[in-house]
C-alpha cells in the first residue's frame, strides 16, 4: 500500500530576546516569523516570557533540577529544525535574560543547541542597529555547537523603521531581510533534507564533531 514519504515543512522557532512585549525586537521577530511562514515553513513564534526562569544557580540545579522555563525552551528547540533570535543590544552585549536562558538550557543532556541552525537579527534605535550585541551573542551559541548563519541582519533607527502593517518602511531593507531569510532557510533545508551530506564544523578546516576540542560542547 503506497505511503506518503514526503518530508513535512521545516520547523523554525522564532523569539525576541527582550521581555518588553512591544519592543522593536518583538516586532522584528514577528516580521521574520511572517516571512518564514510565507515560504511554507512551520513557525513557532515565542516570547522570552514563555521561558521564565531564575538566575542560573548551580546549587538550585543540584537540588531541584532545571526550572520549567528552561525545559520549555529545550522542548521547543527540540521540536525545531532551526531557530531565529531577534535580540536587542544591552551595553554593547547580550541581554542578561537571554544569556541566562542559554546558560540554563546548556545544562540539558543531550545539549539542545548542538548542530541547530540559527539566524540572528536585531533592531535598535542606534545607528549601529544592535550589531555589537549580535557579535556577542554568537560567542556562546557557537561554543555550544550552534551553526550560526553568517549573514546577521540589523535594523537601525528602529523607532521609525516599521510601517503600520509590520513590514519595514524601507523597501530596500525589507527586500534584504526577505532574501536573508530565504538564504537561511535554503541552508537549513539542505542540512535537514539531504542527510547523506557528512556534517562538519565550518570554522576549522578538517575539524570533525567527534574531535576532542568539540566534546565539551557536544556533551
Amino acid at each position: 500500500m503506497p505511503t506518503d514519504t514526503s518530508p513535512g515543512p521545516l520547523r523554525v522557532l522564532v523569539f525576541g530576546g527582550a521581555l518588553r512585549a512591544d519592543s522593536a525586537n518583538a516586532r522584528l521577530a514577528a516580521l521574520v516569523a511572517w516571512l518564514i511562514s510565507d515560504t511554507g515553513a512551520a513557525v513557532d513564534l515565542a516570547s522570552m516570557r514563555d521561558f521564565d526562569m531564575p538566575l542560573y544557580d548551580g546549587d538550585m540545579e543540584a537540588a531541584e533540577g532545571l526550572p520549567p522555563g528552561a525545559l520549555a525552551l529545550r522542548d521547543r528547540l527540540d521540536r525545531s529544525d532551526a531557530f531565529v533570535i531577534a535580540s536587542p543590544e544591552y551595553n554593547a552585549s547580550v541581554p542578561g535574560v537571554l544569556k541566562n536562558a542559554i546558560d540554563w538550557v546548556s545544562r540539558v543532556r543531550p545539549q539542545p543547541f548542538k548542530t541547530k541552525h540559527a539566524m540572528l537579527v536585531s533592531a535598535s534605535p542606534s545607528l549601529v542597529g544592535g550589531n555589537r550585541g549580535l557579535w556577542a551573542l554568537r560567542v556562546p551559541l557557537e561554543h555550544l555547537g550552534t551553526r550560526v548563519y553568517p549573514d546577521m541582519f540589523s535594523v537601525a533607527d528602529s523607532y521609525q523603521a516599521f510601517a503600520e502593517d509590520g513590514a519595514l518602511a524601507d523597501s530596500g531593507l525589507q527586500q534584504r531581510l526577505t532574501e536573508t531569510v530565504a538564504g537561511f532557510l535554503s541552508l537549513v533545508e539542505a542540512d535537514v533534507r539531504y542527510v547523506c551530506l557528512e556534517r562538519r564544523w565550518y570554522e576549522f578546516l578538517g575539524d570533525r564533531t567527534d574531535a576532542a576540542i568539540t566534546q565539551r560542547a557536544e556533551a
Side-chain angles (χ1 to χ4, degrees):
M1 184 173 181
T3 58
D4 183 4
T5 59
S6 62
L10 291 177
R11 299 160 300 172
V12 185
L13 172 65
V14 182
F15 63 96
L19 289 173
R20 189 164 62 89
D22 194 36
S23 74
N25 283 279
R27 299 180 71 181
L28 183 57
L31 174 55
V32 170
W34 180 81
L35 292 172
I36 292 173
S37 179
D38 198 44
T39 69
V43 178
D44 179 9
L45 180 59
S47 162
M48 284 305 299
R49 291 191 181 276
D50 297 333
F51 312 123
D52 184 43
M53 61 192 84
L55 293 175
Y56 178 74
D57 181 338
D59 291 337
M60 179 184 295
E61 181 189 8
E64 304 175 19
L66 273 71
L71 295 174
L73 179 53
R74 183 277 311 272
D75 290 344
R76 289 168 84 165
L77 283 168
D78 282 347
R79 292 196 295 266
S80 301
D81 298 309
F83 63 95
V84 179
I85 303 177
S87 177
E89 176 185 315
Y90 287 3
N91 297 314
S93 190
V94 184
V97 65
L98 177 56
K99 180 58 165 61
N100 183 59
I102 293 171
D103 290 342
W104 267 116
V105 176
S106 72
R107 303 295 295 171
V108 177
R109 297 296 180 269
Q111 200 271 97
F113 291 107
K114 178 67 176 176
T115 72
K116 290 285 185 184
H117 286 277
M119 188 174 89
L120 305 182
V121 299
S122 68
S124 170
S126 76
L127 294 179
V128 295
N131 275 322
R132 294 169 300 191
L134 294 186
W135 281 111
L137 181 54
R138 292 186 73 101
V139 175
L141 291 176
E142 290 183 332
H143 169 77
L144 292 169
T146 303
R147 298 172 177 179
V148 181
Y149 192 57
D151 294 340
M152 300 183 296
F153 180 88
S154 61
V155 178
D157 193 18
S158 59
Y159 294 145
Q160 311 297 326
F162 292 90
E164 290 186 4
D165 63 357
L168 295 174
D170 184 321
S171 60
L173 198 59
Q174 176 70 24
Q175 180 62 29
R176 186 161 70 84
L177 177 59
T178 302
E179 293 172 353
T180 301
V181 168
F184 172 65
L185 294 179
S186 293
L187 179 62
V188 175
E189 183 174 27
D191 188 54
V192 171
R193 305 296 187 226
Y194 301 103
V195 295
C196 59
L197 297 177
E198 184 176 5
R199 294 183 171 184
R200 294 184 180 275
W201 282 73
Y202 305 123
E203 293 87 350
F204 307 103
L205 294 177
D207 191 16
R208 301 173 64 91
T209 56
D210 58 356
I213 194 172
T214 68
Q215 286 177 355
R216 179 171 55 180
E218 181 98 34

